[in-house]
Amino acid sequence: MWSKGEACKIVCTQPRRISAISVAERISFERGESVGENIGYKIRLESKGGRNSSILFCTNGVLLRLLISRGSNFSKSVHTKHFPDDGIMGITHIIVDEIHERDRFSDFMLAILRDLLPAYPHLRMVLMSATIDAERFSRYFSGCPIIQVPGFTYPVKTFYLEDVLSILRSTNDNHLNPTAASDLKESTTLTEDYMSALDESINLALSNDELDPLMELVSTEQNPKIYNFQHSVSGVSPLMVFAAKGSIGDVCMLLSFGVDCSLQDNDGNSALDWAEQENQLEVYEIIKKHMENDASKSAEKEELLDKYLASINPEHIDTVLIERLLRKICIDSEEGAILVFLPGWDDINQARERLLASPLFRDASKFVILSLHSLIPSAEQKKVFKRPPPGVRKIILSTNIAETAVTIDDVVYVIDSGRMKEKSYDPYNNVSTLHSSWVSKASARQREGRAGRCQAGICYHLYSKLRSSSLPDYQVPEIKRMPIEELCLQVKLLDPDCRIADFLQKTLDPPVPETVRNAITVLQDLGALTHDEKLTDLGEKLGSLPVHPSTSKMLLFAILINCLEPALTLACAADYREPFILPMAPDERKRAAAAKVELASLYGGYSDQLAVVAAFECWKRAKDRGQESQFCSKYFVSSNTMNMLSNMRKQLQSELMKNGFIPEDTSGCNVNAQDPGILRAVLMAGAYPMVGRILPRRKNIRRAIVETTSGAKVRLHPHSSNFNLSFSRASGSPLIIYDEITRGDGGMYIKNCSVVGPYPLLLLAMEMVVAPPDDEDDESDEDEEVSSGEEDEIEMDTSGQIGEEIMSSPENAVSIVVDRWLRFESTALDVAQIYCLRERLSAAILFKVRYPQDVLPSALGASMYAISCILSYDGLPTIISADEYTDPQQSMVDAAELNNYPQVRRGMGYNSPSSFLRSLMSEKARKTSNFNKTRESVHPKTYATRLPPHAQVDRFQQQRPPSHGSSSGSTAPRIRSMKRQRGNTPQ
């Protein structure tokens, strides 16, 4: 296009953020320019260049959002062949790289582009990968042409588990000797000319005894595709020719290369048969002895393999074997970096500790051991690309992040555990699964290739040849093993009249129907879709923001409640990653866990999510004061991640301004940004319906479990700052919100969670019904399940005569049942007020969606003010038993006062903020809000009216039932569980 003087705009997508950035930086460097000029990149909530760049690298999700944002034009162009003047018209080429990885965005994007291409005849699309299933993709795009570009990589020797065990058994032999038997793989394909030359040289050798041309072609390079070549007509191989002609030297040379002696020509004769037929007895004996030795070695290897597999679990990572192999490589060679592929962080940490415990590998003058993981700071990740000083060997312990788009040019040796952490989604139990699984053949080839990028290398697969042959060709596409709420909402934005299931059936590998139904249910619970799958005004706005729909709703709620800043941090951290560093040493890991708990204590504690908010706020102030390095070091925070989150927050804030949700001056949107009660309500808005409660520990049970709304029984993950609650007998039954349930190798668990009070749930839950009060003893019915008949009775009570009776008097005691699960006890007046405020909250959200820049009507403004007072009054859910809680009328305690309570001091996971941490927070940030605090700076554009303090909540305080048995030890209603009738319950 450049040669014709025409405009050219190339968009190249990558499956990972790091890939888009690193490739853009590398190409810009090679062109002698800065990123953002002719070469740019754009990832979610971050970009450099783009609009005026000739080549733009982006993630699949970014291009997908561009296609969705042109939904109306797209629909029109597809059906009318009209060419709209939109962003797609400016793009000339779309290149989808690493298409074999099959993430959910790429599959969805391809379905759109397949329908889009006929409407944009100027647009060209290229699907690219070194391990692509080309024929299948070609059929998907109506038989589009396939172009094979021969690429050069250096030869890679491969060993499998049986070979590794044999190598380790032979301690005196150098297994890297060129004459060692091994498989040598060369990824370059033989050209037609080269194969024709081999055919001619074989014909010439057989007819005229001229062996030199064939010997020259075969010995040029040790390529198995050459020395195992078979004549295109007769099937004769070079070894058969040299055996028939009695060329002993040439036969021995090929045997040393590792030639395949079992090959047969079209008549079924092997090289051994050719030697016998031509009476070449000496050659015959050489080949026969070689084959017998190979058979003997194979039998020996099989015996070693059987003994090894009988003694270990092949599903686990054998760090002892890895250490022995590393030692052998270092003994048999003098230089070359070693890359070890491991499934996850725990495996990396175990391998690192094993090596550092060894006198050989802990010598820093000879070895540098590095880790490569997505959670490790970028500065640490970049160390793997630096060459060590002469005489120092670099060992890299990595996950599959190093499989593609990461080139470490001094890597010579690759150790492949054959395992990877894969996240899957169980649509029938609505549970995510993170477990270690075997890699695919495509991934195995990618790992081999890491050793042959810049020089010849060796790959050691720690699994057998038999296992290798049984590996799947490719990983299961992500769209079939991940939740797809975001994609389903994008379908409706693309074409509001299209049924979601119908569109997803057009993808290359459609998700199972249960996954689609679950996603639609989530969107309906959020209010994004109606019950008949129509897109709502709220759904349209939720889909317009570059975050998950649940996160978008959290942002809207935070804007209404004047708590914007923390919501921005939470949204970006959820989309990117947490800022906390994973230290290596055990003592440092304990300090890091304590630091995280201490950070959370600034907002009342017992929250993984609020620890992130506190860390960002403290980092921002530390940076302003020149104390950034001190803060990051003391609290194990990544400065690079914080800078990334800061930039992402600016981008997201800009998106909110663009949509009219917030003004340019956002100071009035943050008057409640330090209030623990309101902060936890914001968390509830983003996490619902992911709600659970910690069941009291029973006798002979070491750890408490968490019961969720689906009935799942899960545990808190040791990495959670709330993990100590698992061992407490005095914590009551606190409510928690969480991001997801994960089924790992150790069972089902929750990693990121926060303790919350009941009021956010009462205001935000989808279903709330009223029942007669439950007067039975707490202990006797702790796990009692309500039959379906009783649930029917509850439903009847809300509309029938009994329901009218219990609601007839404001002072009547009633039970509130939330989502057919949690029972709260209160008064009829409290329930009526909560119902009213729930309706007003929904109306306020809808008003904000339809008229984002307008002031709320006075009635809605008054209701939002009342809601904020109630949430602030609910405050911090202190985890204290009733007999230790000194003031039953107070539902929140100042963070500085929590140390006065002995139970909190004794192992409940609460650390009082240090003086340094307090110094980083303003006076307003340090003081925990309480119900009696006067709100002087309520933003009028949000609340639209001013009320006397407590005007809407005095009745709640007066009518509140006694606090004993409360979930939080405060004056909040106590909680009971009920049987759920929502399908299968995972155990």
Side-chain angles (χ1 to χ4, degrees):
M1 305 275 301
W2 281 300
S3 63
K4 298 179 181 179
E6 299 178 5
C8 184
K9 178 75 171 186
I10 301 173
V11 174
C12 181
T13 71
Q14 297 288 334
R16 296 184 181 90
R17 304 165 66 100
I18 187 175
S19 303
I21 296 173
S22 62
V23 175
E25 288 177 344
R26 191 185 80 229
I27 294 178
S28 297
F29 174 78
E30 291 174 354
R31 289 170 56 89
E33 59 186 53
S34 301
V35 178
E37 297 177 11
N38 290 316
I39 311 297
Y41 70 82
K42 183 175 178 62
I43 58 180
R44 184 179 286 193
L45 302 177
E46 184 187 357
S47 63
K48 275 192 178 182
R51 183 175 295 276
N52 299 316
S53 301
S54 297
I55 304 176
L56 177 69
F57 291 90
C58 65
T59 54
N60 293 323
V62 168
L63 179 57
L64 176 60
R65 186 161 289 276
L66 172 63
L67 299 175
I68 297 298
S69 67
R70 306 297 175 181
S72 58
N73 284 338
F74 162 73
S75 181
K76 182 178 179 181
S77 65
V78 168
H79 293 99
T80 67
K81 307 302 181 184
H82 171 70
F83 307 135
D85 184 17
D86 58 23
I88 306 298
M89 285 298 295
I91 300 175
T92 58
H93 300 79
I94 294 176
I95 301 174
V96 185
D97 196 10
E98 306 294 355
I99 191 62
H100 72 277
E101 295 205 9
R102 302 290 303 278
D103 69 70
R104 61 191 186 280
F105 295 119
S106 66
D107 275 23
F108 187 48
M109 180 176 64
L110 292 183
I112 297 174
L113 287 170
R114 188 175 66 163
D115 292 341
L116 186 75
L117 286 173
Y120 293 86
H122 74 286
L123 185 62
R124 297 291 182 268
M125 186 171 69
V126 178
L127 308 181
M128 189 165 63
S129 172
T131 54
I132 189 175
D133 186 359
E135 293 292 341
R136 187 156 186 249
F137 280 96
S138 175
R139 291 194 299 271
Y140 185 69
F141 282 92
S142 304
C144 69
I146 300 173
I147 301 175
Q148 293 185 348
V149 180
F152 176 78
T153 61
Y154 291 87
V156 177
K157 293 180 181 179
T158 59
F159 295 100
Y160 290 92
L161 180 58
E162 51 264 49
D163 304 316
V164 170
L165 295 174
S166 179
I167 289 169
L168 295 178
R169 185 179 185 182
S170 178
T171 56
N172 296 325
D173 295 338
N174 187 332
H175 80 288
L176 301 178
N177 190 299
T179 61
S182 62
D183 295 325
L184 185 62
K185 292 192 175 181
E186 174 63 69
S187 63
T188 54
T189 57
L190 298 182
T191 63
E192 292 290 339
D193 291 342
Y194 207 105
M195 290 189 289
S196 296
L198 284 170
D199 279 346
E200 291 177 7
S201 61
I202 289 174
N203 290 335
L204 189 62
L206 291 175
S207 60
N208 298 331
D209 293 337
E210 294 187 21
L211 304 180
D212 290 344
L214 178 60
M215 190 65 247
E216 184 177 351
L217 289 173
V218 170
S219 61
T220 299
E221 53 181 308
Q222 295 181 31
N223 189 333
K225 293 181 180 178
I226 296 177
Y227 56 69
N228 285 326
F229 176 81
Q230 293 185 268
H231 194 279
S232 57
V233 177
S234 63
V236 175
S237 69
L239 181 62
M240 297 175 192
V241 173
F242 296 137
K245 298 302 179 181
S247 180
I248 296 175
D250 294 337
V251 167
C252 291
M253 183 193 70
L254 289 181
L255 293 177
S256 70
F257 287 171
V259 68
D260 187 356
C261 298
S262 63
L263 293 178
Q264 296 180 339
D265 61 18
N266 293 347
D267 294 328
N269 295 320
S270 66
L272 193 64
D273 297 328
W274 275 78
E276 184 179 19
Q277 291 171 6
E278 298 297 327
N279 203 27
Q280 301 291 348
L281 299 182
E282 189 174 357
V283 171
Y284 176 86
E285 291 298 330
I286 291 174
I287 296 176
K288 182 180 179 182
K289 185 176 181 180
H290 179 82
M291 294 177 68
E292 289 174 350
N293 288 337
D294 276 353
S296 176
K297 288 181 180 179
S298 296
E300 181 182 347
K301 289 179 180 180
E302 287 298 323
E303 183 180 358
L304 285 173
L305 180 63
D306 291 341
K307 289 181 178 179
Y308 176 78
L309 294 179
S311 63
I312 62 102
N313 185 348
E315 304 291 323
H316 295 166
I317 302 301
D318 188 351
T319 55
V320 176
L321 179 66
I322 292 174
E323 182 197 359
R324 291 178 60 201
L325 181 56
L326 286 170
R327 186 184 298 271
K328 180 65 174 173
I329 293 172
C330 296
I331 291 174
D332 290 355
S333 65
E334 296 181 355
E335 59 182 16
I338 306 171
L339 175 60
V340 184
F341 282 101
L342 296 164
W345 175 253
D346 290 339
D347 304 291
I348 288 175
N349 211 33
Q350 289 174 11
R352 181 184 178 88
E353 290 179 358
R354 177 88 192 179
L355 295 179
L356 293 179
S358 166
L360 173 65
F361 293 108
R362 68 164 171 250
D363 187 351
S365 65
K366 295 182 179 179
F367 297 95
V368 54
I369 301 174
L370 303 171
S371 301
L372 186 57
H373 187 279
S374 61
L375 295 182
I376 292 175
S378 300
E380 293 295 318
Q381 291 182 3
K382 290 179 180 179
K383 289 181 180 179
V384 304
F385 299 102
K386 297 179 181 178
R387 285 181 177 264
V392 178
R393 173 97 66 171
K394 180 169 64 177
I395 299 175
I396 305 164
L397 309 176
S398 174
T399 62
N400 61 347
I401 190 175
E403 270 186 24
T404 57
V406 175
T407 299
I408 306 172
D409 57 10
D410 58 338
V411 167
V412 177
Y413 307 97
V414 167
I415 299 177
D416 172 24
S417 68
R419 308 289 289 177
M420 63 178 289
K421 289 285 188 181
E422 185 175 62
K423 195 168 187 178
S424 300
Y425 172 64
D426 179 359
Y428 303 101
N429 291 321
N430 201 23
V431 172
S432 295
T433 303
L434 181 64
H435 63 279
S436 179
S437 62
W438 291 105
V439 299
S440 65
K441 291 178 181 176
S443 293
R445 289 195 297 272
Q446 292 282 1
R447 294 183 177 191
E448 286 177 11
R450 297 302 99 187
R453 299 289 286 178
C454 301
Q455 61 215 304
I458 297 176
C459 179
Y460 304 86
H461 296 293
L462 301 187
Y463 50 87
S464 66
K465 289 182 181 179
L466 180 62
R467 169 75 68 180
S468 174
S469 63
S470 65
L471 294 175
D473 291 333
Y474 301 93
Q475 300 298 134
V476 177
E478 197 176 59
I479 198 171
K480 294 180 73 69
R481 56 180 176 85
M482 293 288 282
I484 54 172
E485 296 91 12
E486 209 168 349
L487 295 185
C488 291
L489 185 56
Q490 300 301 320
V491 170
K492 302 306 290 187
L493 290 174
L494 184 70
D495 186 354
D497 298 325
C498 178
R499 287 184 56 80
I500 293 173
D502 293 341
F503 184 89
L504 293 178
Q505 281 299 315
K506 297 193 293 184
T507 58
L508 192 59
D509 288 284
V512 298
E514 193 67 27
T515 300
V516 180
R517 285 194 291 270
N518 289 348
I520 293 173
T521 299
V522 170
L523 294 174
Q524 289 169 340
D525 289 347
L526 288 172
L529 297 179
T530 63
H531 289 294
D532 57 351
E533 209 181 294
K534 297 294 184 183
L535 184 67
T536 65
D537 292 338
L538 175 61
E540 187 173 353
K541 287 298 183 182
L542 295 182
S544 67
L545 296 176
V547 288
H548 189 276
S550 296
T551 305
S552 297
K553 189 168 185 179
M554 177 189 71
L555 289 168
L556 294 181
F557 179 80
I559 292 169
L560 284 172
I561 212 73
N562 282 343
C563 191
L564 175 63
E565 289 288 335
L568 289 174
T569 302
L570 291 168
C572 294
D575 186 68
Y576 184 48
R577 66 183 178 213
E578 290 186 356
F580 300 110
I581 294 174
L582 296 172
M584 304 293 179
D587 57 335
E588 286 193 342
R589 287 203 296 272
K590 292 179 181 179
R591 287 173 49 212
K596 186 176 178 182
V597 172
E598 184 182 340
L599 285 166
S601 71
L602 289 173
Y603 294 109
Y606 310 109
S607 174
D608 295 302
Q609 289 90 343
L610 293 185
V612 176
V613 175
F616 183 83
E617 293 300 319
C618 291
W619 169 82
K620 189 166 57 175
R621 288 174 173 82
K623 188 176 183 181
D624 293 340
R625 298 181 186 182
Q627 297 176 306
E628 178 184 12
S629 177
Q630 180 185 355
F631 169 76
C632 291
S633 175
K634 185 174 182 179
Y635 290 94
F636 298 88
V637 168
S638 166
S639 178
N640 290 331
T641 302
M642 283 299 190
N643 281 303
M644 178 70 74
L645 290 178
S646 180
N647 293 331
M648 293 173 69
R649 289 171 84 261
K650 292 176 183 177
Q651 293 268 353
L652 183 55
Q653 186 169 313
S654 176
E655 290 285 340
L656 291 171
M657 289 180 184
K658 188 188 304 181
N659 283 273
F661 288 121
I662 58 175
E664 291 187 7
D665 180 12
T666 60
S667 57
C669 299
N670 293 294
V671 294
N672 294 323
Q674 308 295 340
D675 189 305
I678 290 178
L679 276 168
R680 291 169 198 271
V682 170
L683 289 176
M684 176 69 76
Y688 182 83
M690 301 299 190
V691 181
R693 68 171 188 139
I694 300 179
L695 299 178
R697 282 183 58 195
R698 295 170 177 258
K699 294 180 180 179
N700 302 322
I701 300 296
R702 182 170 176 268
R703 288 170 53 186
I705 61 175
V706 177
E707 181 185 32
T708 71
T709 184
S710 65
K713 301 295 192 299
V714 300
R715 298 190 184 277
L716 295 178
H717 194 277
H719 288 173
S720 171
S721 59
N722 292 319
F723 181 63
N724 282 343
L725 293 178
S726 299
F727 304 96
S728 171
R729 292 189 181 274
S731 62
S733 298
L735 288 176
I736 63 169
I737 55 97
Y738 55 91
D739 51 5
E740 66 178 357
I741 299 174
T742 303
R743 182 187 289 119
D745 296 333
M748 289 169 50
Y749 59 85
I750 289 169
K751 187 173 183 181
N752 292 316
C753 63
S754 297
V755 177
V756 295
Y759 287 103
L761 178 62
L762 293 175
L763 289 168
L764 294 165
M766 281 297 298
E767 181 181 306
M768 192 176 80
V769 297
V770 180
D774 189 347
D775 296 326
E776 297 180 11
D777 182 73
D778 288 357
E779 295 297 328
S780 63
D781 66 356
E782 183 62 48
D783 291 319
E784 181 180 353
E785 295 183 341
V786 179
S787 66
S788 58
E790 289 172 315
E791 287 197 358
D792 294 339
E793 181 183 353
I794 291 172
E795 296 288 352
M796 180 196 71
D797 288 344
T798 61
S799 58
Q801 184 177 358
I802 299 178
E804 295 177 2
E805 289 179 0
I806 63 175
M807 293 295 291
S808 62
S809 172
E811 307 301 326
N812 279 350
V814 298
S815 290
I816 311 170
V817 182
V818 175
D819 292 337
R820 307 186 185 187
W821 173 42
L822 291 172
R823 182 187 291 268
F824 299 86
E825 296 181 2
S826 188
T827 67
L829 179 59
D830 290 348
V831 175
Q833 290 177 323
I834 288 175
Y835 265 114
C836 178
L837 292 177
R838 281 166 56 88
E839 294 297 324
R840 292 294 180 87
L841 176 59
S842 298
I845 292 175
L846 186 58
F847 185 91
K848 191 68 176 175
V849 165
R850 291 177 175 173
Y851 315 103
Q853 297 181 343
D854 290 359
V855 177
L856 287 178
S858 58
L860 293 182
S863 297
M864 288 307 302
Y865 178 74
I867 288 171
S868 68
C869 290
I870 293 170
L871 295 175
S872 179
Y873 173 61
D874 189 31
L876 169 67
T878 56
I879 316 300
I880 302 169
S881 62
D883 58 341
E884 290 175 318
Y885 193 71
T886 57
D887 184 3
Q889 295 300 315
Q890 184 178 349
S891 65
M892 184 172 54
V893 182
D894 185 86
E897 298 172 1
L898 279 174
N899 276 344
N900 297 330
Y901 298 104
Q903 185 61 40
V904 173
R905 291 199 306 270
R906 292 196 304 266
M908 290 301 297
Y910 185 91
N911 285 5
S912 179
S914 66
S915 58
F916 172 65
L917 206 59
R918 288 176 177 276
S919 71
L920 294 176
M921 301 295 284
S922 64
E923 186 69 20
K924 178 182 177 183
R926 289 202 309 270
K927 289 182 179 179
T928 310
S929 302
N930 58 45
F931 172 70
N932 296 315
K933 184 176 73 175
T934 303
R935 298 173 181 274
E936 296 292 344
S937 56
V938 175
H939 188 223
K941 283 194 174 183
T942 301
Y943 294 129
T945 185
R946 292 182 181 273
L947 299 178
H950 328 316
Q952 297 294 320
V953 294
D954 279 347
R955 293 292 298 173
F956 281 87
Q957 186 175 9
Q958 296 166 8
Q959 303 295 335
R960 188 85 40 81
S963 63
H964 74 86
S966 166
S967 66
S968 62
S970 70
T971 57
R974 54 184 178 149
I975 306 171
R976 295 178 180 276
S977 66
M978 300 183 66
K979 182 180 180 181
R980 289 138 305 279
Q981 301 290 331
R982 296 188 176 185
N984 296 332
T985 300
Q987 297 297 331

